[in-house]
Amino acid sequence: MADKEISQAVIGRLPRYFRYLGDLKEKGVERISSQELSDIMKVTASQIRQDFNNFGGFGQQGYGYNVNYLYDEISKILGIDKQHSLVIIGAGHLGKAIAGYTNFTRRGFVFKGAFDCNPELYGTKIRDVEVRPVDEMEDFVRKNQIEIAVLTIPKDQAVPMAHKLAECGIKAIWNFAHVDLEVPNNIQVENVHLSDSLMKLSYNINRYENT
Ligand code: NAI
């Protein structure tokens, strides 16, 4: 656990910094000032400095930031400098799409298993991983020390499934079902609702049209 409690707002901004730094790295940029980063990312330089000060600052005043170093440090903070194993529960449209996205693997999230309750899906493959009966999930998670479960099942199934996952030692749930999950404190949950983002877009369409 970190020594100092960092706000979730700061943590929420780190992946974006990480993405931009990845692009800069690919372009061969070695150093960048907070002002230059601010111009590209459209956030204030003072916000960037404040965010980075939570982690000791990362850079020398006047010299700017070393892109490679900053990229590596943020990846360590985000814990993506190591691998995390994950399983998909619910091998339907969304489950298949997530499991099929190879870029998550590139980031260190290794897709190890897929489970469903529909016998027609048993034995079918997503990438090279076989869909198994959900009854085998608990054993599999324990034996393979799976860290993350991706929940892509209907919302009425998600709560009992989260309880089962808690019992078999899962560390985190990436929840796509439309329900707020209550789990013990030692399990991390991240709820993802694409529709929230779409509604925000809709709001902005309205606002633009009415100005
Ligand atoms: P889908 O019907 O294609 O897939 C759901 C799969 O879950 C099916 O294969 C079904 O057999 C399986 N399933 C149902 N109960 C299960 C259980 N107890 N254990 C194991 N497998 C079980 O549905 P789709 O489109 O993939 O959506 C999945 C879920 O994700 C739905 O709850 C949907 O509302 C939600 N969703 C959430 C989004 C978000 O942004 N959070 C976006 C799209 C869908």
Tab-separated table of all heavy atoms in Angstrom, residues 89-95 115-118 121 134 152-155 157 161 175-178 192-195, ligand 1:
chain	number	residue	atom	x	y	z
A	89	ILE	N	-16.096	-13.153	-17.289
A	89	ILE	CA	-17.274	-13.924	-16.898
A	89	ILE	C	-18.454	-13.381	-17.680
A	89	ILE	O	-18.867	-12.226	-17.484
A	89	ILE	CB	-17.484	-13.848	-15.377
A	89	ILE	CG1	-16.162	-14.286	-14.750
A	89	ILE	CG2	-18.670	-14.723	-14.954
A	89	ILE	CD1	-16.157	-14.477	-13.322
A	90	GLY	N	-18.945	-14.206	-18.593
A	90	GLY	CA	-19.977	-13.779	-19.539
A	90	GLY	C	-19.334	-13.609	-20.907
A	90	GLY	O	-18.812	-12.537	-21.219
A	91	ALA	N	-19.339	-14.693	-21.691
A	91	ALA	CA	-18.653	-14.655	-22.992
A	91	ALA	C	-19.633	-14.281	-24.103
A	91	ALA	O	-19.723	-14.948	-25.133
A	91	ALA	CB	-17.992	-16.003	-23.269
A	92	GLY	N	-20.400	-13.228	-23.857
A	92	GLY	CA	-21.335	-12.724	-24.875
A	92	GLY	C	-20.663	-11.659	-25.728
A	92	GLY	O	-19.440	-11.661	-25.883
A	93	HIS	N	-21.479	-10.727	-26.234
A	93	HIS	CA	-20.944	-9.716	-27.150
A	93	HIS	C	-19.809	-8.913	-26.519
A	93	HIS	O	-18.724	-8.799	-27.068
A	93	HIS	CB	-22.064	-8.755	-27.575
A	93	HIS	CG	-23.099	-9.407	-28.413
A	93	HIS	ND1	-24.275	-9.910	-27.900
A	93	HIS	CD2	-23.129	-9.662	-29.731
A	93	HIS	CE1	-24.984	-10.449	-28.864
A	93	HIS	NE2	-24.316	-10.319	-29.997
A	94	LEU	N	-20.101	-8.353	-25.348
A	94	LEU	CA	-19.122	-7.477	-24.712
A	94	LEU	C	-17.908	-8.269	-24.205
A	94	LEU	O	-16.763	-7.853	-24.396
A	94	LEU	CB	-19.801	-6.726	-23.553
A	94	LEU	CG	-18.992	-5.623	-22.895
A	94	LEU	CD1	-18.541	-4.584	-23.910
A	94	LEU	CD2	-19.812	-4.953	-21.786
A	95	GLY	N	-18.181	-9.396	-23.567
A	95	GLY	CA	-17.096	-10.227	-23.045
A	95	GLY	C	-16.125	-10.615	-24.154
A	95	GLY	O	-14.899	-10.524	-23.986
A	115	PHE	N	-15.640	-17.697	-18.946
A	115	PHE	CA	-16.667	-18.549	-18.357
A	115	PHE	C	-18.047	-18.053	-18.738
A	115	PHE	O	-18.283	-16.849	-18.852
A	115	PHE	CB	-16.520	-18.550	-16.823
A	115	PHE	CG	-15.194	-19.091	-16.400
A	115	PHE	CD1	-14.108	-18.237	-16.266
A	115	PHE	CD2	-15.021	-20.446	-16.211
A	115	PHE	CE1	-12.853	-18.736	-15.935
A	115	PHE	CE2	-13.772	-20.959	-15.873
A	115	PHE	CZ	-12.696	-20.102	-15.731
A	116	ASP	N	-18.943	-19.005	-18.940
A	116	ASP	CA	-20.310	-18.648	-19.296
A	116	ASP	C	-21.235	-19.749	-18.775
A	116	ASP	O	-20.770	-20.844	-18.395
A	116	ASP	CB	-20.448	-18.503	-20.824
A	116	ASP	CG	-21.607	-17.597	-21.209
A	116	ASP	OD1	-22.771	-18.051	-21.102
A	116	ASP	OD2	-21.372	-16.433	-21.581
A	117	CYS	N	-22.553	-19.442	-18.722
A	117	CYS	CA	-23.488	-20.472	-18.265
A	117	CYS	C	-24.252	-21.080	-19.441
A	117	CYS	O	-25.119	-21.921	-19.248
A	117	CYS	CB	-24.448	-19.884	-17.230
A	117	CYS	SG	-25.470	-18.585	-17.920
A	118	ASN	N	-23.925	-20.629	-20.660
A	118	ASN	CA	-24.618	-21.157	-21.839
A	118	ASN	C	-23.831	-22.333	-22.424
A	118	ASN	O	-22.747	-22.140	-22.979
A	118	ASN	CB	-24.760	-20.023	-22.860
A	118	ASN	CG	-25.423	-20.483	-24.142
A	118	ASN	OD1	-25.722	-21.670	-24.309
A	118	ASN	ND2	-25.641	-19.553	-25.054
A	121	LEU	N	-21.841	-22.376	-25.640
A	121	LEU	CA	-20.550	-21.673	-25.779
A	121	LEU	C	-19.366	-22.478	-25.250
A	121	LEU	O	-18.220	-22.159	-25.547
A	121	LEU	CB	-20.605	-20.323	-25.049
A	121	LEU	CG	-21.584	-19.296	-25.613
A	121	LEU	CD1	-21.618	-18.048	-24.737
A	121	LEU	CD2	-21.198	-18.904	-27.041
A	134	VAL	N	-19.365	-21.974	-16.162
A	134	VAL	CA	-19.125	-21.057	-15.047
A	134	VAL	C	-18.916	-21.812	-13.727
A	134	VAL	O	-18.263	-21.302	-12.809
A	134	VAL	CB	-20.249	-19.995	-14.968
A	134	VAL	CG1	-21.550	-20.587	-14.467
A	134	VAL	CG2	-19.817	-18.811	-14.123
A	152	THR	N	-19.133	-9.349	-17.406
A	152	THR	CA	-19.949	-8.929	-18.548
A	152	THR	C	-21.176	-9.836	-18.616
A	152	THR	O	-21.411	-10.514	-19.613
A	152	THR	CB	-19.121	-8.979	-19.858
A	152	THR	OG1	-18.434	-10.234	-19.913
A	152	THR	CG2	-18.117	-7.856	-19.940
A	153	ILE	N	-21.882	-9.866	-17.496
A	153	ILE	CA	-23.102	-10.671	-17.384
A	153	ILE	C	-24.253	-9.740	-17.015
A	153	ILE	O	-24.024	-8.587	-16.621
A	153	ILE	CB	-22.935	-11.788	-16.310
A	153	ILE	CG1	-22.452	-11.192	-14.983
A	153	ILE	CG2	-22.003	-12.872	-16.787
A	153	ILE	CD1	-22.306	-12.217	-13.864
A	154	PRO	N	-25.506	-10.221	-17.108
A	154	PRO	CA	-26.630	-9.345	-16.765
A	154	PRO	C	-26.554	-8.876	-15.310
A	154	PRO	O	-25.962	-9.548	-14.458
A	154	PRO	CB	-27.850	-10.251	-16.971
A	154	PRO	CG	-27.381	-11.322	-17.894
A	154	PRO	CD	-25.932	-11.520	-17.617
A	155	LYS	N	-27.167	-7.716	-15.041
A	155	LYS	CA	-26.972	-7.105	-13.715
A	155	LYS	C	-27.521	-7.957	-12.576
A	155	LYS	O	-26.958	-7.966	-11.487
A	155	LYS	CB	-27.539	-5.686	-13.673
A	155	LYS	CG	-29.022	-5.543	-13.747
A	155	LYS	CD	-29.361	-4.073	-13.525
A	155	LYS	CE	-30.860	-3.877	-13.547
A	155	LYS	NZ	-31.216	-2.482	-13.404
A	157	GLN	N	-27.287	-11.007	-12.244
A	157	GLN	CA	-26.326	-12.089	-11.979
A	157	GLN	C	-25.033	-11.562	-11.350
A	157	GLN	O	-24.241	-12.326	-10.814
A	157	GLN	CB	-25.949	-12.777	-13.300
A	157	GLN	CG	-27.108	-13.352	-14.067
A	157	GLN	CD	-27.667	-14.567	-13.361
A	157	GLN	OE1	-26.917	-15.455	-12.980
A	157	GLN	NE2	-28.981	-14.583	-13.152
A	161	MET	N	-22.452	-13.194	-8.324
A	161	MET	CA	-21.142	-13.564	-8.896
A	161	MET	C	-20.013	-12.852	-8.144
A	161	MET	O	-18.969	-13.449	-7.860
A	161	MET	CB	-21.119	-13.169	-10.387
A	161	MET	CG	-19.881	-13.596	-11.114
A	161	MET	SD	-19.578	-15.371	-11.011
A	161	MET	CE	-20.890	-15.988	-12.066
A	175	ASN	N	-16.162	-4.208	-13.527
A	175	ASN	CA	-17.587	-4.495	-13.657
A	175	ASN	C	-18.266	-3.680	-14.751
A	175	ASN	O	-18.272	-2.454	-14.713
A	175	ASN	CB	-18.279	-4.185	-12.314
A	175	ASN	CG	-19.768	-4.327	-12.406
A	175	ASN	OD1	-20.275	-5.263	-13.023
A	175	ASN	ND2	-20.502	-3.400	-11.807
A	176	PHE	N	-18.852	-4.392	-15.701
A	176	PHE	CA	-19.603	-3.735	-16.771
A	176	PHE	C	-21.110	-3.871	-16.580
A	176	PHE	O	-21.879	-3.257	-17.320
A	176	PHE	CB	-19.205	-4.305	-18.149
A	176	PHE	CG	-17.852	-3.842	-18.592
A	176	PHE	CD1	-16.706	-4.466	-18.115
A	176	PHE	CD2	-17.710	-2.776	-19.459
A	176	PHE	CE1	-15.444	-4.031	-18.504
A	176	PHE	CE2	-16.451	-2.336	-19.864
A	176	PHE	CZ	-15.318	-2.967	-19.380
A	177	ALA	N	-21.549	-4.714	-15.639
A	177	ALA	CA	-22.990	-4.865	-15.406
A	177	ALA	C	-23.517	-3.574	-14.774
A	177	ALA	O	-22.812	-2.925	-13.997
A	177	ALA	CB	-23.230	-6.052	-14.486
A	178	HIS	N	-24.753	-3.234	-15.107
A	178	HIS	CA	-25.282	-1.944	-14.637
A	178	HIS	C	-25.775	-2.040	-13.202
A	178	HIS	O	-26.973	-1.978	-12.939
A	178	HIS	CB	-26.396	-1.474	-15.574
A	178	HIS	CG	-25.913	-1.192	-16.961
A	178	HIS	ND1	-24.981	-0.218	-17.243
A	178	HIS	CD2	-26.191	-1.783	-18.144
A	178	HIS	CE1	-24.726	-0.224	-18.528
A	178	HIS	NE2	-25.438	-1.166	-19.110
A	192	VAL	N	-17.583	0.359	-15.068
A	192	VAL	CA	-17.453	1.049	-16.350
A	192	VAL	C	-18.833	1.130	-16.993
A	192	VAL	O	-19.478	0.105	-17.209
A	192	VAL	CB	-16.508	0.289	-17.305
A	192	VAL	CG1	-16.320	1.059	-18.597
A	192	VAL	CG2	-15.176	0.032	-16.642
A	193	HIS	N	-19.260	2.349	-17.253
A	193	HIS	CA	-20.570	2.526	-17.887
A	193	HIS	C	-20.405	3.381	-19.135
A	193	HIS	O	-20.346	4.611	-19.039
A	193	HIS	CB	-21.545	3.191	-16.919
A	193	HIS	CG	-21.795	2.378	-15.694
A	193	HIS	ND1	-22.347	1.115	-15.759
A	193	HIS	CD2	-21.555	2.619	-14.400
A	193	HIS	CE1	-22.435	0.626	-14.529
A	193	HIS	NE2	-21.958	1.512	-13.686
A	194	LEU	N	-20.331	2.727	-20.275
A	194	LEU	CA	-20.153	3.481	-21.520
A	194	LEU	C	-21.312	4.447	-21.723
A	194	LEU	O	-21.155	5.525	-22.283
A	194	LEU	CB	-20.074	2.521	-22.706
A	194	LEU	CG	-18.914	1.539	-22.699
A	194	LEU	CD1	-18.970	0.634	-23.920
A	194	LEU	CD2	-17.593	2.279	-22.665
A	195	SER	N	-22.487	4.068	-21.224
A	195	SER	CA	-23.659	4.928	-21.434
A	195	SER	C	-23.506	6.264	-20.707
A	195	SER	O	-24.063	7.278	-21.152
A	195	SER	CB	-24.946	4.221	-21.006
A	195	SER	OG	-24.791	3.706	-19.721
B	1	NAI	P1	-24.848	-10.889	-24.024
B	1	NAI	O1	-26.221	-11.403	-23.762
B	1	NAI	O2	-24.307	-10.934	-25.413
B	1	NAI	O3	-23.806	-11.678	-23.094
B	1	NAI	C1	-24.026	-12.004	-21.764
B	1	NAI	C2	-23.428	-13.379	-21.543
B	1	NAI	O4	-23.449	-13.645	-20.142
B	1	NAI	C3	-24.196	-14.505	-22.222
B	1	NAI	O5	-23.322	-15.291	-22.995
B	1	NAI	C4	-24.815	-15.280	-21.069
B	1	NAI	O6	-24.943	-16.648	-21.352
B	1	NAI	C5	-23.801	-15.009	-19.978
B	1	NAI	N1	-24.301	-15.165	-18.598
B	1	NAI	C6	-25.476	-14.782	-18.078
B	1	NAI	N2	-25.536	-15.088	-16.762
B	1	NAI	C7	-24.349	-15.654	-16.454
B	1	NAI	C8	-23.805	-16.203	-15.268
B	1	NAI	N3	-24.457	-16.178	-14.108
B	1	NAI	N4	-22.556	-16.728	-15.317
B	1	NAI	C9	-21.859	-16.763	-16.481
B	1	NAI	N5	-22.334	-16.287	-17.634
B	1	NAI	C10	-23.562	-15.731	-17.621
B	1	NAI	O7	-24.816	-9.413	-23.432
B	1	NAI	P2	-23.740	-8.273	-23.711
B	1	NAI	O8	-24.242	-7.386	-24.748
B	1	NAI	O9	-22.410	-8.884	-23.860
B	1	NAI	O10	-23.809	-7.477	-22.335
B	1	NAI	C11	-23.345	-8.085	-21.143
B	1	NAI	C12	-23.615	-7.188	-19.950
B	1	NAI	O11	-22.895	-5.975	-20.081
B	1	NAI	C13	-25.078	-6.766	-19.808
B	1	NAI	O12	-25.358	-6.702	-18.425
B	1	NAI	C14	-25.130	-5.374	-20.403
B	1	NAI	O13	-26.148	-4.589	-19.861
B	1	NAI	C15	-23.776	-4.866	-19.993
B	1	NAI	N6	-23.246	-3.818	-20.841
B	1	NAI	C16	-22.591	-2.827	-20.196
B	1	NAI	C17	-21.986	-1.828	-20.875
B	1	NAI	C18	-21.261	-0.811	-20.093
B	1	NAI	O14	-20.814	0.171	-20.638
B	1	NAI	N7	-21.130	-0.992	-18.814
B	1	NAI	C19	-22.033	-1.741	-22.330
B	1	NAI	C20	-22.711	-2.870	-22.940
B	1	NAI	C21	-23.305	-3.858	-22.201
